[in-house]
Amino acid sequence: MTLCREGGRFRFIEALRRRERPKVVVCLGERHEDDYVHAFGMRGLPYKEHTLKPADQARILHIYDDKGTRLVLCPALAGAAGMCSDVLLKAMGSYISQWLAKAEFELWSTNQ
């Protein structure tokens, strides 16, 4: 991890994000939030919280925004506190879809 943080890997990831300008980057596991924010060049930026509560269990997402790229930090997929149900995953997909256009997926599917 030290090599990633202090070597060139995080700088490379940040430069790649700035060049490619993805609309959404999803990162799993809040335990590594500081590393994700560092790697994608969003240190020092505030985040906004979004609560997913499609059923009886709620999950908190942290959303960072920089120049049109949203970094969505969500709980890990597995585990008791994870995004381990179809209901939660569908709710997260529905939330993220607000930043994406259907036409972008049609273009992707025709290039396969």
Side-chain angles (χ1 to χ4, degrees):
M1 287 306 299
T2 300
L3 182 59
C4 290
R5 291 177 188 124
E6 298 172 12
R9 184 161 297 184
F10 280 9
R11 285 190 306 275
F12 169 77
I13 292 170
E14 179 181 356
L16 184 64
R17 186 214 26 119
R18 290 186 188 281
R19 186 180 74 234
E20 297 298 324
R21 295 181 298 186
K23 290 183 178 181
V24 179
V25 175
V26 177
C27 296
L28 305 172
E30 58 275 320
R31 195 174 92 195
H32 299 289
E33 183 167 3
D34 290 339
D35 286 329
Y36 293 136
V37 172
H38 180 185
F40 288 97
M42 297 188 185
R43 281 203 295 190
L45 296 178
Y47 64 86
K48 123 181 135 166
E49 283 190 355
H50 177 76
T51 302
L52 292 177
K53 190 167 170 126
D56 59 340
Q57 295 184 20
R59 299 294 185 269
I60 305 294
L61 306 178
H62 288 178
I63 297 90
Y64 294 85
D65 191 348
D66 183 45
K67 297 179 178 79
T69 295
R70 287 168 185 90
L71 177 69
V72 179
L73 183 71
C74 71
L77 295 178
M83 303 285 290
C84 54
S85 74
D86 285 343
V87 174
L88 282 167
L89 292 172
K90 286 179 182 179
M92 186 172 76
S94 178
Y95 177 70
I96 290 171
S97 72
Q98 69 182 306
W99 301 306
L100 306 170
K102 183 179 178 186
E104 294 166 320
F105 291 96
E106 292 167 352
L107 177 64
W108 179 80
S109 65
T110 58
N111 289 333
Q112 296 296 320

